[in-house]
């Protein structure tokens, strides 16, 4: 049968169990398999005789089985297989005397042990690769990599009692092929309980074989054997090049010195050296960067052909600025002027406003909305949560009311959320649908079909990474003209990364803090230090008695929630351990693996609220809890009671991370702080000190003193600069939550590219993509690239990081 990139693996693989396991990993087609990249490659395994073995050092050798037995384990269920092997012939070829060692396997499955025993029958010749240990004074290999090879003279061998036990087929044709196979570096894939990395590797090699013209019997279900012993590049190189065309223009590939796409896939999945593996990864990573930047540049060009409302009248904006009870910073004035210049144009503004926590982004956004309203149009601000929408309604409502009193103007401010009563919601939707100039503050309700704003001239999206690309485009494509777009984020993004990735947006930074804001005093509190914890709680009580408020943040809602996830759409916490800093859990990281250390359970809101309520320091103090599972009415009530002091301690998940503005809040305690990203900790810390007084952040941690997690917390303790923190987040654990690009794997268009870490690669790819588009705007001469661009756009990564 003929196969292609999009051929389902279920049509070429008869092993239904493996098909299901691969499907669970998102591998549905042959193309999915080839782009299921390994996260690292093993080092080549050196040849060594048993007499040369060193405990703890990997080695490979050929041997013959002298004894084998399968015994039940007394202490627990299951079986143990023990095989004694000697390497007399192999050692002689190295000028050494032969020696013996023990191979040991454990399993609870009797059938598997008997199958393995058939392979390791007395007299069988095997090639082993493993790391030796010592047990009871003997050299031992536990669960080694094992390949069977034919007898040296071609004769059949017999097991104990003379019964024929030789396998009908062998894993390799001869000793030389087997040694070459086990010694070469091998890719390591993220696996699960249903399928091992070795079986993933075996399957992908089979799929490459199919694409190269082999039959399913030779490629997919055999999994190994003599044919598999030869490198793919030798067997199928030219055939694969014919069926896997290059996406990169040849001129770009030659300039960058990159492999052909088919060669890169072979180098990644069947590497002959670590260097070859990394060359293949580099080629495929650059390909991702090139395709993504081509999409970004096309989007930018396309947006400039669209028609938008020209908002040239600035009188209302100027009167709004004059009505403010404080002076704008120089940075705010500069950004407001840039936005005004954009909105005077006939094509839609696309601007990203990155502002430090508390830098005054809301005032800038409201000034932009005044430009739209002053020109006779509508503006909508979309917030990701009910809590943040209510906060914006309160803040913006107060500023608009002050303007109306001073300037004698009428500006309706309409709120639309999913939690509104039906009658109120219908009235609000009707008000907006009338087209009357005004300001709308909405949650996800703005993306519903019932939301119609015929005079919508400006869309402001707060914390865009909480929304999907499709949602944003739905809102922008409804009217006769395309609204201007202002995207705001407080998540620190390194400047180089922002300039290269967010290429379809103009970028502004707010780095100054408004006058009166003081840095938040930050302390790392070891949870095991009971005395220090007690002093922290006593400090919180003093601040509460002084009329202030305190947040207590936990990563989970209930103690029985699954670790690392509270099932809350509003709560952005994702638990990680130090292994993530080395790529141990990221399918796109090819530079290392995690340490896999077990972690203690994360603290939960319900648990901590009960625990704190029982402490003598908080006798008579009202507690409230807030999570993303609470309904909108509950969230509104809880925040109101927290603000007015009815319940001065709020125990919450990260639902409070962005936008929540309670000036009386002076303290925040973050449990399991060592399990958060630095940028998320910086965001949470920004919730306190907003009233201009002294403020404190306490990072409660169970990290050991020399752990990487402790180093990360030290960065937060010593720095309040978001750019410095973002860079440290990158260096210490990868891009992580800096851009939300942990969400970019799986079925998205990005599998290898790290948005922050690979900023230089993205910049180079952008330059090349710009030159290609300048010469061929519609990519008519680059058919493969055009197809890749279309596929990438469908994956939803064409815009700024999607949810």
């Amino acid at each position: 049968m003929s196969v292609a990139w999009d051929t389902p693996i279920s049509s070429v693989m008869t092993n239904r169990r493996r098909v299901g396991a691969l499907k669970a990993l998102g591998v549905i087609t042959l193309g999915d398999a080839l782009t299921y990249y390994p996260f690292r490659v093993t080092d080549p395994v050196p040849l060594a005789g048993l007499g040369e073995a060193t405990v703890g050092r990997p080695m490979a050798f050929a041997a013959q089985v002298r004894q084998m037995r399968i015994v039940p384990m007394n202490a627990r269920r299951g079986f143990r297989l023990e095989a004694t092997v000697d390497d007399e012939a192999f050692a002689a070829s190295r000028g050494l005397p032969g020696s013996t060692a023990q191979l040991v396997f454990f399993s609870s499955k009797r059938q598997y042990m008997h199958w393995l025993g058939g392979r390791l029958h007395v007299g069988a010749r095997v090639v082993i690769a493993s790391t030796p240990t010592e047990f009871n004074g003997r050299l031992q290999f536990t669960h080694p990599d094992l390949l069977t090879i034919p007898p040296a003279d071609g004769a059949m061998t017999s097991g104990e009692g003379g019964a024929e036990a030789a396998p009908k087929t062998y894993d390799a044709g001869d000793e030389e092929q087997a040694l070459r196979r086990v010694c070469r570096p091998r890719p390591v894939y993220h696996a699960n309980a249903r399928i091992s990395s070795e079986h993933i590797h075996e399957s992908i090699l089979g799929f490459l074989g199919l694409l190269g013209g082999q039959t399913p019997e030779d490629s997919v279900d055999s999994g190994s054997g003599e044919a598999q012993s030869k490198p793919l590049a030798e067997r199928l190189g030219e055939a694969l090049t014919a069926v896997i065309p290059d996406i990169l223009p040849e001129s770009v590939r030659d300039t960058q010195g990159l492999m052909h796409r088919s060669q890169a896939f072979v180098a990644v999945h069947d590497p002959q050296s670590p260097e070859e593996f990394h060359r293949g990864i580099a080629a495929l990573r650059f390909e991702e960067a090139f395709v993504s930047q081509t999409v970004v540049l096309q989007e930018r060009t396309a947006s400039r052909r669209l028609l938008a409302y020209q908002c040239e009248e600035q009188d209302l904006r100027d009167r709004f600025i004059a009505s403010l009870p404080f002076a704008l910073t120089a940075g705010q004035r500069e950004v407001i002027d840039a936005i005004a210049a954009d909105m005077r144009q006939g094509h839609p503004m696309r601007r990203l406003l990155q502002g430090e926590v508390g830098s005054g982004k809301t005032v800038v956004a409201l000034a932009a909305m005044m430009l739209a309203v002053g020109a006779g149009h509508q503006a909508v601000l979309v917030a990701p949560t009910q809590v943040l929408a209510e906060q914006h309604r309160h803040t913006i409502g107060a500023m608009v009311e002050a303007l109306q009193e001073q300037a004698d103007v009428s500006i309706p401010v309409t709120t639309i959320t999913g939690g509104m009563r039906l009658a109120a919601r219908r009235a609000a939707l009707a008000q907006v649908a009338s087209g009357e100039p005004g300001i709308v503050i909405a949650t996800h309700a703005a993306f519903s079909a019932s939301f119609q704003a015929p005079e919508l001239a400006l869309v402001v999206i707060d914390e865009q990474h909480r929304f999907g690309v499709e949602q944003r485009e739905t809102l922008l494509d409804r009217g006769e003209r395309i609204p201007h777009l202002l995207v705001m984020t407080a998540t620190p993004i390194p400047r180089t990364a922002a300039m290269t990735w967010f290429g379809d947006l103009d970028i502004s930074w707010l780095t100054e803090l408004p006058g009166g804001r003081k840095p938040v005093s930050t302390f790392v509190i070891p949870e095991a230090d009971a005395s220090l914890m007690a002093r922290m709680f006593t400090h919180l009580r003093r601040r509460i008695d002084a009329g202030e408020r305190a947040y207590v943040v936990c990563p989970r809602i209930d103690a029985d929630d699954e670790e690392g996830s509270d099932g809350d759409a509003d709560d952005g916490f994702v638990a990680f351990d130090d292994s993530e800093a080395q790529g141990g859990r990221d399918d796109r990281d090819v530079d290392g693996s995690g340490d896999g250390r077990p972690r203690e359970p994360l603290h939960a809101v319900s648990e901590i609220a009960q625990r704190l309520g029982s402490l003598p320091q908080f006798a008579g103090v009202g507690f409230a809890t807030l999570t993303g599972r609470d309904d909108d009415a509950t969230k509104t009530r809880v925040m109101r009671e927290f603000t007015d002091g009815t319940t001065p301690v709020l125990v919450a998940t990260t639902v409070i991370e962005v936008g929540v503005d309670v000036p009386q809040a002076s303290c925040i305690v973050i449990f399991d702080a060592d399990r958060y990203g630095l940028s998320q900790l910086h965001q949470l810390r920004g919730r306190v000190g907003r009233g201009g007084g002294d403020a404190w952040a306490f990072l409660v941690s169970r990290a050991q003193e020399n752990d990487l997690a402790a180093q990360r917390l030290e960065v937060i303790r010593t720095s309040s600069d978001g750019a410095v923190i973002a860079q440290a987040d990158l260096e210490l654990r990868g891009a992580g939550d800096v851009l939300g690009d942990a969400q970019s794997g799986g079925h998205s268009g990005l599998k290898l590219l790290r948005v922050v870490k690979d900023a230089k690669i993205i910049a180079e790819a952008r330059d090349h993509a710009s030159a290609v588009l300048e010469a061929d705007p519609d990519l008519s001469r680059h058919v493969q690239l055009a197809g890749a661009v279309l596929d990438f756009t469908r994956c939803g990564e064409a815009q700024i990081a999607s949810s």
Side-chain angles (χ1 to χ4, degrees):
M1 64 176 291
S2 61
V3 296
W5 184 263
D6 57 355
T7 297
I9 62 173
S10 59
S11 67
V12 297
M13 177 177 274
T14 58
N15 186 332
R16 300 290 89 182
R17 183 175 181 180
R18 188 171 295 189
V19 169
L22 289 170
K23 183 177 180 180
L25 296 175
V27 177
I28 311 297
T29 67
L30 299 191
D32 293 333
L34 266 59
T35 55
Y36 191 80
Y37 300 116
F39 65 89
R40 69 180 178 94
V41 65
T42 63
D43 291 326
V45 179
L47 294 175
L50 291 175
E52 303 170 287
T54 301
V55 171
R57 181 175 299 174
M59 59 179 286
F61 62 97
Q64 192 162 14
V65 179
R66 295 305 182 192
Q67 293 180 343
M68 188 276 293
R69 65 172 185 159
I70 300 174
V71 296
M73 292 185 288
N74 296 326
R76 53 181 177 162
R77 295 176 58 187
F79 305 88
R80 181 176 71 253
L81 184 150
E82 300 172 353
T84 301
V85 298
D86 76 57
D87 69 339
E88 183 176 354
F90 176 75
S93 70
R94 298 176 62 83
L96 299 168
S99 188
T100 63
Q102 195 90 346
L103 309 182
V104 180
F105 298 85
F106 301 93
S107 178
S108 61
K109 298 179 180 178
R110 182 191 299 269
Q111 185 178 4
Y112 168 75
M113 295 305 274
H114 283 291
W115 171 82
L116 187 60
R119 290 163 58 83
L120 289 172
H121 63 84
V122 172
R125 294 182 69 223
V126 293
V127 166
I128 299 294
S130 186
T131 300
T133 58
E134 189 175 354
F135 182 73
N136 286 340
R138 296 192 64 184
L139 200 63
Q140 178 171 293
F141 297 86
T142 304
H143 285 274
D145 290 337
L146 165 71
L147 296 179
T148 59
I149 56 176
D153 57 2
M156 298 297 289
T157 58
S158 296
E160 293 180 89
E164 185 178 288
K168 294 180 180 180
T169 59
Y170 298 94
D171 296 324
D174 57 37
E175 181 178 304
E176 181 182 353
Q177 290 178 351
L179 286 171
R180 185 169 64 242
R181 185 169 156 195
V182 299
C183 289
R184 351 187 249 259
R186 281 177 292 174
V188 181
Y189 302 82
H190 284 284
N192 57 30
R194 297 180 62 184
I195 187 168
S196 67
S197 173
E198 184 65 28
H199 285 158
I200 295 171
H201 183 216
E202 179 182 284
S203 299
I204 294 175
L205 291 183
F207 298 143
L208 279 166
L210 277 179
L211 288 167
Q214 289 185 342
T215 65
E217 291 75 18
D218 292 333
S219 297
V220 176
D221 290 315
S222 61
S224 56
E226 183 175 351
Q228 297 286 355
S229 297
K230 293 182 180 179
L232 278 169
E234 291 181 20
R235 294 184 280 128
L236 306 171
E238 293 183 4
L240 285 173
T241 300
V243 297
I244 304 178
D246 215 344
I247 287 175
L248 294 176
E250 188 174 355
S251 59
V252 175
R253 180 161 53 83
D254 291 344
T255 301
Q256 294 295 119
L258 301 173
M259 293 177 166
H260 187 281
R261 193 177 197 225
S262 64
Q263 295 174 333
F265 281 127
V266 172
V268 168
H269 295 299
D270 191 36
Q272 302 305 299
S273 68
E275 293 74 22
E276 183 180 279
F277 173 84
H278 290 294
R279 280 189 63 209
I281 286 292
L284 295 169
R285 180 181 282 123
F286 187 87
E287 176 189 289
E288 280 191 359
F290 187 88
V291 172
S292 68
Q293 288 305 294
T294 301
V295 172
V296 165
L297 290 170
Q298 285 185 327
E299 289 288 331
R300 187 178 182 87
T301 301
S303 70
R304 294 185 180 278
R305 299 193 191 107
L306 302 172
L307 294 177
Y309 291 106
Q310 292 179 266
C311 302
E312 301 180 88
E313 177 57 57
Q314 300 187 25
D315 179 63
L316 185 62
R317 184 206 66 174
D318 293 341
R319 285 191 285 173
F320 161 68
I321 293 173
S323 72
L324 294 172
F326 51 82
L328 297 178
T329 65
Q332 286 174 315
R333 289 186 175 277
E334 182 179 338
V335 175
I336 288 172
D337 289 341
I339 291 172
D342 288 345
M343 293 180 65
R344 282 197 296 267
Q345 304 299 317
H347 58 79
M349 171 183 72
R350 293 288 185 270
R351 183 167 291 275
L352 170 67
L353 175 57
Q354 179 179 330
E356 187 61 83
V357 175
S359 59
K361 296 185 297 299
T362 303
V363 172
V364 172
L366 186 50
M369 289 189 278
M370 290 299 176
L371 286 171
V373 175
H377 304 298
Q378 296 169 301
V380 60
L381 186 153
V382 186
T385 67
Q386 172 84 12
V387 170
L388 186 51
E390 290 292 339
Q391 191 71 58
H392 280 310
R393 182 191 63 77
H394 175 77
T395 303
I396 290 175
M399 287 191 282
V400 169
E401 186 176 342
L403 169 63
Q404 292 178 145
E405 290 177 356
Q406 293 185 27
D408 191 27
V409 294
S410 177
I411 304 172
V413 178
T414 307
T415 304
I416 300 176
T417 68
M420 296 174 67
R421 292 183 180 275
L422 182 59
R425 181 185 174 91
R426 284 177 174 172
L429 289 170
Q431 167 74 22
V432 176
S434 71
E436 179 185 1
I439 293 170
V440 182
I441 299 168
T443 57
H444 292 73
F447 303 122
S448 69
S450 60
F451 180 85
Q452 298 295 327
E455 290 292 323
L456 186 59
L458 173 66
V459 174
V460 181
I461 295 186
D462 199 3
E463 295 301 330
Q464 132 78 25
H465 65 278
R466 299 295 185 95
F467 299 107
V469 170
E470 295 80 5
Q471 289 177 313
R472 191 183 88 179
E473 294 305 310
T474 296
L475 186 57
L476 294 180
D477 291 342
R478 287 187 181 171
E480 295 181 2
R481 299 193 176 217
I482 303 299
H484 299 287
L485 174 69
L486 178 63
V487 173
M488 301 194 299
T489 179
T491 302
I493 305 169
R495 184 174 293 255
T496 54
M499 293 178 69
T500 54
W501 180 243
F502 298 107
D504 63 330
L505 304 174
D506 296 306
I507 304 170
S508 297
W509 280 270
L510 285 178
T511 56
E512 301 174 73
L513 291 180
R517 287 292 298 271
K518 298 180 181 179
V520 179
S521 300
T522 305
F523 302 89
V524 177
I525 308 294
E527 189 171 350
D529 190 333
S531 174
L532 199 56
M533 291 282 287
R535 288 166 55 193
M536 176 185 72
F537 292 137
T538 299
H539 175 82
L540 259 63
R541 178 58 188 259
R542 291 199 191 102
R543 303 323 308 163
I544 291 167
D545 289 343
E548 297 168 9
R549 314 284 184 269
Y551 296 106
V552 179
V553 178
C554 305
R556 291 195 293 169
I557 295 177
D558 297 314
D560 57 353
D561 284 327
E562 181 181 347
E563 173 127 342
S565 173
D566 56 21
D568 187 343
D570 285 343
D571 297 355
F573 176 79
V574 178
F576 66 91
D577 57 29
D578 293 346
S579 67
E580 281 197 342
Q582 303 165 35
R585 288 190 185 173
D586 193 328
D587 288 355
R588 292 160 299 141
D589 192 342
V590 297
D591 301 320
S593 62
D595 57 16
R597 291 178 299 164
R599 289 297 188 112
E600 296 180 67
L602 299 170
H603 289 299
V605 168
S606 55
E607 165 215 344
I608 292 298
Q610 183 177 8
R611 174 177 156 190
L612 297 186
S614 65
L615 293 177
Q617 291 96 326
F618 295 108
V621 172
F623 280 78
T625 62
L626 183 68
T627 76
R629 289 184 190 169
D630 294 324
D631 58 42
D632 291 340
T634 300
K635 290 177 182 177
T636 301
R637 175 183 56 77
V638 167
M639 289 306 302
R640 182 178 63 250
E641 293 177 354
F642 178 63
T643 302
D644 66 23
T646 303
T647 51
V649 179
L650 179 60
V651 185
T653 58
T654 53
V655 69
I656 67 159
E657 178 184 348
V658 293
V660 174
D661 188 0
V662 179
Q664 303 92 332
S666 64
C667 298
I668 184 167
V669 178
I670 305 172
F671 279 90
D672 297 305
D674 51 303
R675 308 293 293 278
Y676 291 78
L678 297 188
S679 296
Q680 193 171 30
L681 290 173
H682 184 55
Q683 288 268 45
L684 289 167
R685 179 171 60 182
R687 296 310 101 208
V688 297
R690 304 177 76 88
D694 293 330
W696 297 264
F698 301 96
L699 311 180
V700 180
S701 167
R702 288 182 279 194
Q704 299 300 309
E705 184 176 352
N706 296 322
D707 278 359
L708 180 60
Q711 297 177 40
R712 295 171 46 251
L713 293 181
E714 186 64 13
V715 172
I716 286 289
R717 189 188 69 80
T718 58
S719 177
S720 59
D721 187 323
V724 170
I725 290 168
Q727 190 62 37
D729 219 1
L730 164 64
E731 294 171 355
L732 291 174
R733 80 176 189 99
D737 69 338
V738 175
L739 291 180
D741 73 341
Q743 305 172 45
S744 298
H747 294 288
S748 79
L750 296 179
K751 295 187 178 181
L752 290 171
L753 196 68
R754 302 298 294 270
V755 172
V756 180
K757 184 177 180 181
D758 296 324
K760 182 178 179 181
I761 295 172
I762 295 172
E764 292 177 357
R766 183 183 182 83
D767 290 341
H768 285 292
S770 179
V772 169
L773 287 171
E774 186 175 350
D776 184 15
D778 58 0
L779 300 178
S780 59
R781 299 193 299 274
H782 299 87
V783 178
Q784 298 300 329
L785 175 59
V789 164
L790 181 60
D791 290 342
F792 185 88
T793 304
R794 287 171 176 168
C795 287
E797 292 289 343
Q799 310 285 338
I800 102 184
S802 68
S803 64

